[in-house]
Amino acid sequence: MIRLRGVTKRFRDGAREVAVLRGVDLDVAPGELVAIVGPSGSGKSTLLHVAGALDRDFEGEAVVAGTALGGLDDAARAELRNRAVGFVFQSFNLLPALSALENVMLPGILRRPGPDGRIAEIRARARDALLRVGLADRAEAPPSRLSGGERQRVALARALLSRPAVLLADEPTGNLDAASGADVIRLFSELARGGVSVLVVTHEERVSDAATRVLRLSDGRLG
Amino acid sequence: MAGARGILWLAGAALRADRRGAAVNAVAACVGAAALVLFLALGLGVGAAARRLFPADARLVEVVPARVSLGGVLGGGRLDDDAVARLRALPGAAAAWPRLPLGVPVSASEPAGGLGGRWPSGLALQLPLVGVDPALVADDVAPGAFADPPPGEPIPIVLARRLVEVYDRTLAPAWNLRRLPPGVSLVGVELPVRIGHSIVAGASEARVAPERLRLAGLSDRVPLYAVAVPIETVRRLHREYGKGEPAYGQVTVLAARPEDVPSLAAAVRRMGFSVDEGERATAERVATIVKVTTGALVLLAVTMCGLAALAIAQALSASVRGRARELAVLQALGAAPADVRRIVLAEGAAIGLAGGLAGALLARGLAALGDAAAARLLPDLPFRPESFFLFPPWLLALGVAVPVLAAIAGALGPAAAAARIDPARTLA
Ligand SMILES: Nc1ncnc2c1ncn2[C@@H]1O[C@H](COP(=O)(O)OP(=O)(O)O)[C@@H](O)[C@H]1O
Ligand SMILES: [Mg+2]
């Protein structure tokens, strides 16, 4: 579940202050797949970072997976991201030195108070997650040997390892061909049907077609 | 914060990703650690050898008659019982033990019992005997074993511990004699001598009596080239041979504390006596040379560790810049800034640890090589140590700890930079 109320985000650009978000209200219920569209530079990524507890200074109210973000310290926000939020990016953002499986293990490795004694268990869960996205046979491959579609599915498996309540995707199909993009969108829909709150930023019609709701971000406001 | 195992897993993954860079930095740390351990081990080893060569007791002041004798005028001069009493009464003095050289010649012309060997035929040795206070060697002999014996009993003697080594390395090989077993196993050995006999023609006494000398112990407090006997024995022999009451040759004053030695020495000089600085001055000079040299080399090694730390700092900060995006991804997946900092610190520590362990091993190996080379190239001199290096456990621990700490210090800056990465901006 995501709930934003009156979220305003300003960036300081030298002496000038620019408000990228101006009082955004947004609700994404469990089971919903909400698409946000808008031109480049309209603040879509910024909105996603606020909703994902990656951004620390904004005005307004944000509640993610039942936790109010206001007043959380760095460690608490990190823990919230780790347990409740899955991120998927346009450029995949896999760690190149790790295998697909190790990339998927990362949220488990970063689990607090720690993965002590559970590395083997994390590995097993990571294999399950790869199986869910249809990549069980590519577990040991480094990202450089995967196709774009495969990479994005590894990134999705990584986002799902902690069974997050919220999935945030920033232009997830932007670097994919039509077929791979369709695969990824299908997986998003499945997740939403499974009760996850899915928020996808996109400017592609094929994504918004799959969404339960489409919102447009312009002039820092959602409509 | 993520658990320690998670941090180490991630640091290990980062190091594996750049094995070459990690290895280069570990080699730098290894060289610094090896130099540090090797130089300190050398300083310790040479220092120990020097202390064996000059076992100067920091609390002893050797008082000898004034070289230019104004003694009579100043009330000093002759080292007699009165002078000993006044020396003992000086502030800071704990004890004063006179030394009385025997004025009767003593010679040996047979080997010591039990040691065998081929005594060169016709060889007679003149033995310089000196009477010492039993309290001087109380720590080195069995209680009561060093006293003027009743008639018929052998005279107990104490030899300089170093004399055994000198004998083993010079006299024994030269004369084809057996080397002496080390340490206390020699105690009890007896040497037949002739009291009153001199190898110099005409210098013998009218009365020559056979006697036996019996080794009661080895000490660092007796002169190197003299045989120490109880001072009472010397007095008795002087009486028996009508030698009157000769003055003491030397008085050993024991200071209560090493710090008292300078003022005590000054007071002794004011009494009109000289202080024999010979051995102690040499010992102090050698100790100072060893310390200064070791200090300079350790400074060099620490500088090398510092350079390794700089190399690690430079490499890690380039690495952190290069993987800002990866570190931001880790934050998105649940790493706090503190976790990112600890990952980079762990990378530095791991590099330092690997380098330190390798360096400590390398130092041991180089020391073994050095000792082997010394054994082949140097003649078998007295006091040549088995090893020129000492490796106490704390030194090996230090050899690992210093590069680890240096590497962590080098990683502090890059780690702080990593923790400052703003994931929202980096991933936008
Ligand atoms: N860290 C930042 N500092 C200053 N300006 C920023 C920062 N991040 C984003 N912006 C600005 O905010 C606006 C919105 O950016 P973003 O949210 O990335 O847009 P979108 O994802 O819709 O393309 C842009 O004008 C961008 O330049
Ligand atoms: Mg964007």
Side-chain angles (χ1 to χ4, degrees):
Chain A
M1 174 272 271
I2 302 169
R3 195 175 71 185
L4 306 183
R5 286 290 175 275
V7 166
T8 297
K9 174 72 188 179
R10 301 172 211 274
F11 286 114
R12 202 174 299 281
D13 183 8
R16 222 156 47 98
E17 215 180 44
V18 188
V20 176
L21 304 177
R22 308 161 189 254
V24 168
D25 297 333
L26 172 66
D27 285 281
V28 184
E32 269 195 303
L33 194 170
V34 174
I36 294 181
V37 296
S40 181
S42 57
K44 304 184 296 296
S45 295
T46 303
L47 177 61
L48 223 54
H49 294 152
V50 169
L54 262 186
D55 208 324
R56 102 185 80 186
D57 21 54
F58 58 88
E59 296 151 46
E61 221 181 281
V63 179
V64 177
T67 304
L69 298 187
L72 292 188
D73 64 11
D74 284 337
R77 279 189 293 112
E79 173 149 22
L80 180 68
R81 293 194 297 271
N82 184 251
R83 285 184 188 278
V85 180
F87 282 99
V88 174
F89 305 94
Q90 176 173 7
S91 51
F92 320 129
N93 282 337
L94 300 179
L95 270 54
L98 301 183
S99 68
L101 183 70
E102 288 169 330
N103 265 286
V104 178
M105 288 169 70
L106 284 173
I109 297 294
L110 289 164
R111 190 25 86 63
R112 50 217 68 217
D116 303 67
R118 299 192 295 112
I119 299 268
E121 188 210 314
I122 293 167
R123 191 178 297 274
R125 272 170 41 219
R127 279 191 197 284
D128 285 348
L130 279 178
L131 192 66
R132 275 177 81 185
V133 299
L135 285 176
D137 54 333
R138 309 292 282 149
E140 305 306 330
S144 57
R145 299 242 306 279
L146 300 175
S147 71
E150 287 173 327
R151 288 183 208 184
Q152 196 60 303
R153 281 186 285 155
V154 171
L156 185 57
R158 181 174 72 183
L160 297 181
L161 186 82
S162 301
R163 306 197 168 282
V166 168
L167 183 72
L168 304 173
D170 196 344
E171 317 250 14
T173 57
N175 283 344
L176 301 184
D177 58 49
S180 312
D183 281 347
V184 169
I185 294 162
R186 191 164 34 72
L187 284 166
F188 283 173
S189 301
E190 263 176 41
L191 285 167
R193 276 199 298 278
V196 178
S197 303
V198 184
L199 181 59
V200 185
V201 155
T202 186
H203 48 243
E204 294 191 33
E205 301 251 310
R206 55 180 175 166
V207 180
S208 39
D209 286 350
T212 47
R213 255 187 314 146
V214 180
L215 302 171
R216 174 164 296 277
L217 183 63
S218 61
D219 284 337
R221 269 179 261 272
L222 274 180
Chain B
M1 267 192 284
R5 266 195 74 188
I7 298 295
L8 292 179
W9 193 96
L10 291 161
L15 291 173
R16 267 188 319 236
D18 181 19
R19 281 195 193 83
R20 258 183 69 100
V24 166
N25 289 317
V27 165
C30 167
V31 170
L36 182 68
V37 172
L38 194 68
F39 293 158
L40 270 174
L42 182 63
L44 291 172
V46 172
R51 273 192 302 284
R52 223 150 49 85
L53 186 51
F54 305 105
D57 186 328
R59 292 194 299 152
L60 297 186
V61 178
E62 301 293 352
V63 181
V64 292
R67 249 157 246 156
V68 181
S69 189
L70 295 168
V73 182
L74 294 171
R78 195 177 147 88
L79 275 173
D80 51 18
D81 284 324
D82 175 50
V84 172
R86 281 188 294 134
L87 287 169
R88 195 172 280 140
L90 285 175
W97 299 300
R99 258 188 223 177
L100 184 57
L102 179 63
V104 181
V106 176
S107 71
S109 49
E110 293 172 54
L115 290 181
R118 287 189 302 131
W119 186 270
S121 73
L123 172 75
L125 277 179
Q126 198 73 49
L127 296 182
L129 264 60
V130 61
V132 300
D133 193 314
L136 182 71
V137 294
D139 291 342
D140 301 311
V141 298
F146 193 69
D148 188 34
E153 291 288 308
I155 297 172
I157 64 169
V158 170
L159 294 176
R161 200 164 272 137
R162 293 175 291 167
L163 189 60
V164 177
E165 176 130 15
V166 172
Y167 170 85
D168 273 350
R169 299 282 177 96
T170 58
L171 298 187
W175 295 353
N176 254 338
L177 295 177
R178 278 221 346 247
R179 291 188 174 206
L180 296 178
V184 282
S185 61
L186 280 174
V187 168
V189 163
E190 292 188 3
L191 177 70
V193 294
R194 284 184 292 167
I195 309 261
H197 176 262
S198 172
I199 59 173
V200 180
S204 293
E205 298 288 333
R207 193 163 71 95
V208 172
E211 254 296 3
R212 281 170 302 144
L213 303 182
R214 185 171 197 277
L215 186 65
L218 299 172
S219 171
D220 288 328
R221 284 183 166 181
V222 299
L224 179 53
Y225 293 110
V227 177
V229 298
I231 196 163
E232 272 315 311
T233 304
V234 172
R235 290 197 179 110
R236 174 170 60 80
L237 291 171
H238 281 168
R239 280 196 302 278
E240 289 173 12
Y241 284 83
K243 294 293 175 192
E245 274 283 312
Y248 297 126
Q250 188 165 336
V251 178
T252 303
V253 178
L254 177 72
R257 296 169 305 159
E259 307 87 277
D260 293 331
V261 165
S263 62
L264 201 52
V268 166
R269 290 198 185 89
R270 277 197 301 276
M271 281 175 65
F273 298 116
S274 291
V275 174
D276 181 3
E277 302 273 19
E279 279 227 331
R280 213 194 40 239
T282 312
E284 279 168 8
R285 240 188 334 270
V286 169
T288 306
I289 290 169
V290 170
K291 273 187 200 140
V292 167
T293 313
T294 306
L297 291 174
V298 165
L299 200 64
L300 179 70
V302 168
T303 308
M304 291 163 87
C305 288
L307 289 177
L310 282 182
I312 288 168
Q314 201 267 327
L316 276 182
S317 75
S319 152
V320 163
R321 274 196 305 277
R323 49 193 177 116
R325 195 170 183 83
E326 292 180 32
L327 295 171
V329 170
L330 288 182
Q331 294 204 48
L333 300 178
D339 294 329
V340 175
R341 175 188 300 115
R342 291 196 305 157
I343 290 168
V344 177
L345 286 179
E347 289 173 34
I351 290 171
L353 184 66
L357 287 173
L361 283 177
L362 180 64
R364 286 220 73 140
L366 289 174
L369 281 179
D371 281 333
R376 274 200 310 124
L377 301 177
L378 293 183
D380 196 13
L381 297 168
F383 306 111
R384 198 195 72 193
E386 285 295 310
S387 172
F388 286 93
F389 304 89
L390 272 184
F391 290 97
W394 66 260
L395 178 57
L396 296 174
L398 184 81
V400 177
V402 168
V404 167
L405 292 178
I408 289 177
L412 281 175
R420 277 195 306 271
I421 289 172
D422 177 358
R425 177 189 296 234
T426 309
L427 295 172

